[in-house]
Amino acid sequence: MSTLLEHPEHPDGRAETDAHETGSRVRRWRRQTIRFMPIVVFVVLLLAISSQVPGMLTTRSLLTMADSAAPLVALSIGATLVILCGAIDLSTAALASLSSVLLALWIPSMGAWAAIVVILVAGAAGALQGVVYVVFKVPSFVVTLGGMALWSGLALVFSNAGSLPVSDLDALSWGSGKMGGLVPHSVVVTGLVVALVIVAMLLTPFGRSVRAIGYGESAARLAGLPVGAVKIAALTLSGMTSGLAGALLVAQTFSGSSTLAGGLLLPSLAAIVIGGTAITGGFGGLMRTVVGVLIIVLLRSGLGLIGLDPGVEPVLYGVLIIGAISLTIDRSRLAVLK
């Protein structure tokens, strides 16, 4: 075999070289497609829907859409970090609902500080899941699926299976008000969080470690990276962003309940994979997820505006998730599909 490779004039060696070059071109084309396709899809959707709804492109309409997207962006950012590590967090929406209940219960005694306490508590819940995952070597799918049931159950118990209204609106002004009477505070807060996490991913060892672990955990261990600590940190951050998402939902609805974020898990996963993050880990990014969220929110808003049946929404999510995963999954790292 080495002789064939060393002498490209040999027919078999030339064929093998050509096949390798073709494979490289295909991989480069696929990566470029994944990189730009979400932006193209978003622009096409925006233009298509705005052609049917002329007022869609006004500043007020776009800011309203961004406001409605803020909780989903917060929820998806932390979940993206976990997926980049090669794991998954299915408990985000349930933890956001629990956070909304805790915030509604604690605002009367803590005021605006309750939001920070809730985010920290949600981070502790994420860290607990991370410890079970790393220390006890339980698959992240199983741990967070159990966490989803646990947090949902606690939210039901603490809320007595009902809605908890919040009367202290000043305590929610950080997320419900508008800067300059135009830009929603929720958009500003979420934007700052996204910017901070992106900076951390770009400029700290944590970001490099997350991608290295997701791309090849065995190699990352051999390189001396703190694999377990990074995974726990990713799940902790996912918990904190879930807590922020729950707090933002309370700021938008002025109430907390055990089902407030119940419908956000599937859209969140859809946004992550539609944005181009590989479900196998290692490849993707947070800005990709933001674009994916905007696509999802645009679809949700557009379906209602153009008069389509809302029942079509989960069908679209299913098709988009399967299609996006088929495009982004790295099959070269999967010896066996299960």
Side-chain angles (χ1 to χ4, degrees), residues 80-81 84-85 196-215 225-226 230 233-234 237 282-286:
T80 301
L81 296 177
L84 283 173
C85 282
L196 286 173
V197 179
I198 288 176
V199 169
M201 290 291 288
L202 291 175
L203 302 181
T204 68
F206 173 73
R208 294 187 290 274
S209 298
V210 164
R211 296 183 186 280
I213 292 167
Y215 193 77
L225 296 180
V230 171
L237 287 172
F283 179 78
L286 301 179

Side-chain angles (χ1 to χ4, degrees), residues 39-336:
I39 298 175
V40 173
V41 170
F42 174 72
V43 172
V44 170
L45 275 175
L46 186 62
L47 294 176
I49 295 175
S50 62
S51 67
Q52 301 296 316
V53 186
M56 188 74 179
L57 292 179
T58 64
T59 301
R60 189 171 297 277
S61 295
L62 292 175
L63 285 174
T64 299
M65 185 174 70
D67 184 31
S68 66
L72 186 56
V73 169
L75 195 75
S76 303
I77 288 299
T80 301
L81 296 177
V82 178
I83 289 178
L84 283 173
C85 282
I88 194 166
D89 189 353
L90 300 177
S91 68
T92 53
L95 190 51
S97 293
L98 175 60
S99 298
S100 76
V101 170
L102 295 178
L103 182 59
L105 289 173
W106 292 345
I107 276 181
S109 58
M110 298 184 188
W113 290 100
I116 295 177
V117 175
V118 162
I119 291 171
L120 293 176
V121 169
L128 176 61
Q129 293 182 142
V131 169
V132 174
Y133 167 42
V134 171
V135 176
F136 298 98
K137 301 186 185 304
V138 180
S140 60
F141 178 89
V142 176
V143 173
T144 58
L145 186 64
M148 179 172 64
L150 174 61
W151 311 136
S152 295
L154 289 175
L156 275 171
V157 171
F158 293 154
S159 65
N160 291 320
S163 179
L164 302 174
V166 176
S167 57
D168 186 1
L169 303 186
D170 290 337
L172 296 173
S173 61
W174 61 269
S176 61
K178 291 186 177 182
M179 183 178 294
L182 185 63
V183 181
H185 287 172
S186 61
V187 176
V188 176
V189 170
T190 307
L192 288 174
V193 171
V194 171
L196 286 173
V197 179
I198 288 176
V199 169
M201 290 291 288
L202 291 175
L203 302 181
T204 68
F206 173 73
R208 294 187 290 274
S209 298
V210 164
R211 296 183 186 280
I213 292 167
Y215 193 77
E217 184 171 328
S218 298
R221 289 186 186 278
L222 290 174
L225 296 180
V227 174
V230 171
K231 287 182 174 181
I232 293 174
L235 279 161
T236 301
L237 287 172
S238 182
M240 294 179 73
T241 56
S242 297
L244 174 61
L248 288 170
L249 287 170
V250 174
Q252 290 180 348
T253 62
F254 304 110
S255 65
S257 78
S258 59
T259 58
L260 190 59
L264 293 185
L265 178 60
L266 187 58
S268 174
L269 294 175
I272 293 169
V273 296
I274 289 170
T277 295
I279 200 71
T280 46
F283 179 78
L286 301 179
M287 283 308 300
R288 296 172 184 270
T289 295
V290 173
V291 175
V293 169
L294 293 177
I295 291 173
I296 293 297
V297 172
L298 189 58
L299 279 174
R300 295 171 74 174
S301 304
L303 289 177
L305 289 173
I306 64 179
L308 288 180
D309 187 346
V312 176
E313 189 175 318
V315 176
L316 283 175
Y317 290 158
V319 172
L320 289 171
I321 288 174
I322 294 172
I325 290 178
S326 299
L327 184 63
T328 59
I329 193 171
D330 188 354
R331 293 170 179 81
S332 65
R333 293 162 53 201
L334 297 175
V336 178

